[in-house]
Amino acid sequence: MRYLLHHLLSESAQAHPDTIAVVDGERSITYGELEHRSNQLARLLIELGIHRGDRVGLYLEKSLESIIGIYGVLKAGAAYVPFDPHAPTGRLAYIAGNCGIRVLLTGAEKATSWAELKRAGAPIEVLVVLNADRVDADPPRGTRLYDRTATAGHIDGAPAVSGIGLDLAYILYTSGSTGVPKGVMLSHQNALTFVDWTVDEFEVRPDDRLSNHAPLHFDLSILDIFAAAEAGARVVLVPAAASVFPVEVARFIERNEITIWYSVPSILSTLVRHGGLAGGEFPSLRTILFAGEVFPTKYLRRLMNLLPHVEFANLYGPTETNVCTYYRVPPIPEEQTEAIPIGRAIADVEVFAVTDDGRMAAPGEEGELYVRGSTVMLGYWGDPERTARGLIPNPIGGELHDPVYRTGDLVREDPDGNYRFFGRRDAQIKSRGYRIELGEIEGALYAHPAVVECAVTAIPDELITNRIKVYVVTRGSVQQAELIRFCSDRIPRYMIPELWEFREVLPKTSTGKVDRQALAMSGGV
Amino acid sequence: MTVQDRLRGFIIDELRWDGPGAALTNDYPLIERRVVDSMGIYQIVTFIEGEFGIEVFDEELVPEHFGSIDEIALFIEAKRAS
């Protein structure tokens, strides 16, 4: 019986060891090799003192090696923590400290950042370089450095580590409203329930080729990597250039004969607008899945018209629930502008809406979406209070006090049982599929000594969902460029406000809070 | 100021290049090192269209033209010559 994520790899490696598992540019790795090399890595990790339940960081550009890294960590009984390879080191050091990362799997391209990470307080003792046999850089003081030869010296065969489906498999850090990121803990079972559903619902087969567009610290990558492993299919890593140039996305799908594409909608919108599609491209492509934000209806319709042989589905779910609902998109009428629904629950998951006064919302009535089922996270790492606010005893379940997750998303149920998303209860926004807490941006700004007051707001945007605008009150003269540089050391680039307005004072409500509504009105948005 | 310098200035000021200015050489790989992302590319296009009086077509939006500051400068030069 398989109940751990790496069982998916081991089974496919046994069934077809010579089939290609992962493609990374000109390089690829078979299921047999991936199994072999991740076994060796797991043995090295165990020798380095990694035990069941430990957290191991992953800090390198997405590559064959990072996939080997994921499986190596899981086979050692530990949980992997994927770092955004382009995030400021201060943020990554916080993450490493928060979940106690002693061992970091990394790449030679990150050598210049190791010392900075350590200086910023990361408790790292061991660096394992996955992609080079020799590293010229010296390890920072207090750390030991291992290169690829250290892994290759180990014998094959999965190490004997016991585990159950409820064990922690990975932690994904998302934007936190209190100014620091929060770690969403997901178990093997959380991911497997979703992966099993994906393989079943979209009939993923050994001859499928899945794209992997999302970075590994983004939960969309779970589908690509593990659904491919379960089916014994091929996953093709999307190179950086294909994320930037719409024409390259088209070339990538064509050249790799991708059959299942999964990404945030914004890249698909730019493919429609600038990809030079004439219609009828991509004969191999059969399924396009998207998630993370609302797909502007007019671009979705255009893409569907250009690719009539492809099925389209909207997947929805906060990181805390993997994916919890889905909607297969029927042909969209020409005059429709309304966004498509988020749909209904996936297998083994239940969703319902709860009104402000705690009742189950009737169809058509607005409520907050609650999710119950085995895709729902274990909690937030090291933060029982926040966990208790997010995972609450089922309010509707009678005697069954199993935890349900409050998404904070406001929804309404259509008469046909599909849910529609309307907005958030709080100050969380989406921009280009990234989930952003406006409070985290404000937290970064307030750390600057010259910032007296600030308010970050979201301006709705058709293409990227939201643009970020900040109103700042400063003491003395401080340049916008200086504040941008200051933010760059603390928050990822996609969180840095695009529009800046300097004010003498910010408008307040009667309770003394910043009046965001007044700001939005005065800002002409 | 050369075309390269104007591009460098734009990347530093508008695309929020956070490294030292001197490191942003004319052959620095803009795409692989994620200096330019999916939004940044359109900011560059808008900038060079306005600044150099050229029009960039969708099919010209390829890594060969935008891989480095030098490549962008060559592309601008070729466009202006045609």
Side-chain angles (χ1 to χ4, degrees):
Chain A
M1 182 187 160
R2 56 171 174 71
Y3 48 91
L4 299 174
L5 281 169
H6 48 280
H7 291 165
L8 303 176
L9 168 63
S10 301
E11 283 186 2
S12 284
Q14 196 152 30
H16 26 82
D18 299 324
T19 300
I20 288 177
V22 187
V23 177
D24 173 15
E26 300 298 310
R27 305 187 304 147
S28 64
I29 189 168
T30 63
Y31 275 100
E33 286 172 82
L34 184 54
E35 172 76 352
H36 170 64
R37 291 185 56 188
S38 55
N39 283 344
Q40 289 180 315
L41 177 60
R43 288 182 179 273
L44 173 69
L45 289 172
I46 290 166
E47 197 179 283
L48 292 172
I50 289 297
H51 293 105
R52 183 176 169 189
D54 285 348
R55 283 77 50 210
V56 176
L58 208 56
Y59 184 40
L60 67 165
E61 295 290 348
K62 189 163 66 179
S63 55
L64 298 183
E65 286 76 13
S66 29
I67 309 296
I68 294 168
I70 288 175
Y71 285 112
V73 173
L74 295 175
K75 286 177 175 182
Y80 74 91
V81 184
F83 287 12
D84 174 354
H86 302 279
T89 42
R91 193 170 202 261
L92 297 177
Y94 170 82
I95 291 172
N98 181 250
C99 67
I101 289 178
R102 291 184 302 108
V103 177
L104 187 67
L105 304 182
T106 182
E109 73 278 7
K110 289 288 155 201
T112 50
S113 304
W114 297 335
E116 222 178 297
L117 207 53
K118 186 82 182 156
R119 260 200 310 277
I124 290 158
E125 295 162 15
V126 179
L127 294 157
V128 181
V129 175
L130 298 181
N131 58 7
D133 286 338
R134 217 175 66 94
V135 182
D136 290 329
D138 287 326
R141 187 188 295 270
T143 60
R144 284 173 291 150
L145 180 65
Y146 293 84
D147 58 29
R148 198 166 50 188
T149 55
T151 315
H154 285 75
I155 56 160
D156 194 7
V161 179
S162 56
I164 65 167
L166 288 174
D167 286 348
L168 183 64
Y170 53 100
I171 304 178
L172 300 178
Y173 277 82
T174 72
S175 182
S177 56
T178 53
V180 289
K182 55 181 191 252
V184 180
M185 299 190 286
L186 294 137
S187 70
H188 288 263
Q189 187 195 45
N190 290 157
L192 261 181
T193 299
F194 165 54
V195 171
D196 283 343
W197 170 80
T198 304
V199 170
D200 193 54
E201 178 68 29
F202 300 104
E203 299 174 50
V204 187
R205 298 178 304 250
D207 58 349
D208 271 317
R209 291 152 175 248
L210 292 85
S211 65
N212 169 247
H213 175 264
L216 298 177
H217 60 277
F218 205 162
D219 73 344
L220 271 72
S221 62
I222 299 299
L223 184 152
D224 318 329
I225 290 165
F226 295 111
E230 177 165 334
R234 173 183 302 196
V235 59
V236 189
L237 309 180
V238 178
S243 300
V244 177
F245 303 100
V247 174
E248 284 295 297
V249 176
R251 285 192 204 161
F252 172 85
I253 296 174
E254 197 85 60
R255 202 181 305 133
N256 291 288
E257 297 173 354
I258 296 297
T259 62
I260 302 175
W261 172 275
Y262 185 32
S263 73
V264 290
S266 53
I267 187 152
L268 294 166
S269 293
T270 49
L271 176 68
V272 173
R273 296 172 70 230
H274 303 289
L277 300 186
E281 280 89 353
F282 320 139
S284 308
L285 190 63
R286 64 176 179 86
T287 303
I288 290 181
L289 306 173
F290 52 90
E293 63 192 341
V294 177
F295 202 145
T297 303
K298 64 177 179 187
Y299 298 125
L300 174 57
R301 177 173 48 233
R302 263 167 71 183
L303 189 60
M304 292 175 73
N305 289 343
L306 286 166
L307 305 172
H309 62 291
V310 176
E311 59 170 352
F312 287 75
N314 181 17
L315 309 188
Y316 158 88
T319 302
E320 286 86 342
T321 68
N322 276 287
V323 159
C324 57
T325 70
Y326 77 114
Y327 180 73
R328 282 178 177 273
V329 190
I332 304 174
E334 275 311 312
E335 63 283 3
Q336 183 179 326
T337 52
E338 190 185 20
I340 57 164
I342 56 172
R344 54 183 79 219
I346 70 167
D348 201 21
V349 169
E350 203 168 42
V351 297
F352 49 90
V354 176
T355 60
D356 273 348
D357 50 7
R359 284 179 301 106
M360 184 89 96
E365 196 178 10
E366 188 173 286
E368 179 180 355
L369 190 73
Y370 284 42
V371 186
R372 174 173 178 248
S374 51
T375 63
V376 174
M377 67 162 179
L378 300 174
Y380 298 107
W381 178 268
D383 197 342
E385 281 167 32
R386 201 199 290 264
T387 301
R389 286 198 300 272
L391 289 179
I392 61 164
N394 187 351
I396 316 268
E399 296 304 308
L400 291 171
H401 289 291
D402 61 318
V404 295
Y405 176 67
R406 307 176 54 163
T407 62
D409 283 346
L410 297 173
V411 297
R412 240 176 269 161
E413 189 184 349
D414 279 355
D416 64 1
N418 284 306
Y419 283 89
R420 286 181 185 274
F421 169 79
F422 282 96
R424 291 284 307 171
R425 294 194 75 103
D426 53 22
Q428 185 190 102
I429 63 149
K430 288 279 186 144
S431 180
R432 276 189 282 163
Y434 288 107
R435 165 173 156 180
I436 299 168
E437 293 284 357
L438 299 180
E440 184 169 4
I441 304 172
E442 289 170 0
L445 271 166
Y446 273 121
H448 192 286
V451 172
V452 179
E453 232 178 356
C454 69
V456 179
T457 58
I459 300 177
D461 180 270
E462 181 186 74
L463 266 190
I464 63 168
T465 311
N466 281 295
R467 296 164 76 196
I468 302 168
K469 175 163 186 178
V470 62
Y471 298 87
V472 209
V473 178
T474 59
R475 184 183 299 118
S477 76
V478 55
Q479 298 290 313
Q480 176 180 328
E482 149 71 13
L483 291 177
I484 289 175
R485 256 195 308 279
F486 185 79
C487 285
S488 304
D489 292 337
R490 285 163 179 78
I491 52 179
R493 189 155 69 167
Y494 59 79
M495 285 197 201
I496 298 174
E498 191 183 331
L499 306 161
W500 294 70
E501 191 172 318
F502 289 79
R503 294 273 184 110
E504 291 293 313
V505 63
L506 298 184
K508 302 285 166 16
T509 63
S510 56
T511 55
K513 290 182 177 169
V514 173
D515 190 342
R516 287 163 195 280
Q517 234 170 352
L519 272 178
M521 306 260 283
S522 68
V525 292
Chain B
M1 204 156 63
T2 64
V3 171
Q4 279 89 341
D5 287 337
R6 283 156 79 183
L7 288 166
R8 193 177 357 267
F10 179 79
I11 292 168
I12 290 170
D13 294 339
E14 299 298 322
L15 299 189
R16 291 149 197 192
W17 157 261
D18 48 9
L24 190 61
T25 52
N26 290 348
D27 60 353
Y28 193 86
L30 299 176
I31 309 301
E32 286 99 74
R33 302 286 170 82
R34 320 281 163 130
V35 179
V36 176
D37 64 7
S38 56
M39 295 308 284
I41 192 71
Y42 292 104
Q43 288 172 265
I44 289 190
V45 167
T46 309
F47 171 71
I48 65 175
E49 284 185 338
E51 197 81 357
F52 303 101
I54 57 172
E55 191 184 348
V56 181
F57 300 105
D58 285 346
E59 60 272 20
E60 294 171 329
L61 215 53
V62 291
E64 296 84 319
H65 295 157
F66 292 89
S68 66
I69 289 178
D70 268 341
E71 284 174 1
I72 303 174
L74 272 175
F75 172 66
I76 293 169
E77 205 178 304
K79 288 288 284 186
R80 289 165 105 185
S82 67

